[in-house]
Amino acid sequence: MSREQAKDTGMALTLICLLLAYYLRNERFMALSAVLLVADMVWPKIFLYPARVWFGAAHLIGAVVSRVVLTVLFCALVTPVGFVRRMMGADPMQQKKWKKGTASVFKTRDHTYIPEDIETPY
């Protein structure tokens, strides 16, 4: 944990106390936020252990949430598109042709490239 991360943790805890003081209308949180702010300015290393917990929790939450969001997006977007393409008969890998005949389904690509092919590849 660096000194800057410890300072950031102290400032975050100060902000949390200020928000609690505002929403709960409790002056104790206001006093606690003042103490945390002074401690953060005078001796920021006091927040090293809370910073480890804070950043460790943030890393764990980020790892879990990113996997959950990507799973939901895959199930909500990619899977229905695959089902629709399959119902419409799309066969991009040409598996139906492969199983029906003995001829190859691979495309022959004997092409000598010229400079115009590289200038406009699409």
Side-chain angles (χ1 to χ4, degrees), residues 40-107:
D40 190 39
M41 291 188 309
V42 174
W43 191 33
K45 286 190 175 188
I46 198 170
F47 294 107
L48 281 176
Y49 292 112
R52 285 186 184 163
V53 173
W54 185 266
F55 282 97
H59 180 71
L60 181 67
I61 290 169
V64 170
V65 168
S66 66
R67 286 182 176 88
V68 168
V69 167
L70 289 174
T71 301
V72 168
L73 283 175
F74 183 84
C75 292
L77 297 175
V78 177
T79 304
V81 169
F83 284 138
V84 169
R85 284 182 51 94
R86 184 173 288 180
M87 288 185 340
M88 294 180 72
D91 189 21
M93 293 179 62
Q94 300 179 0
Q95 289 179 338
K96 293 175 186 172
K97 286 183 187 177
W98 188 296
K99 293 179 181 178
K100 285 185 180 177
T102 57
S104 175
V105 295
F106 295 111
K107 293 181 182 178

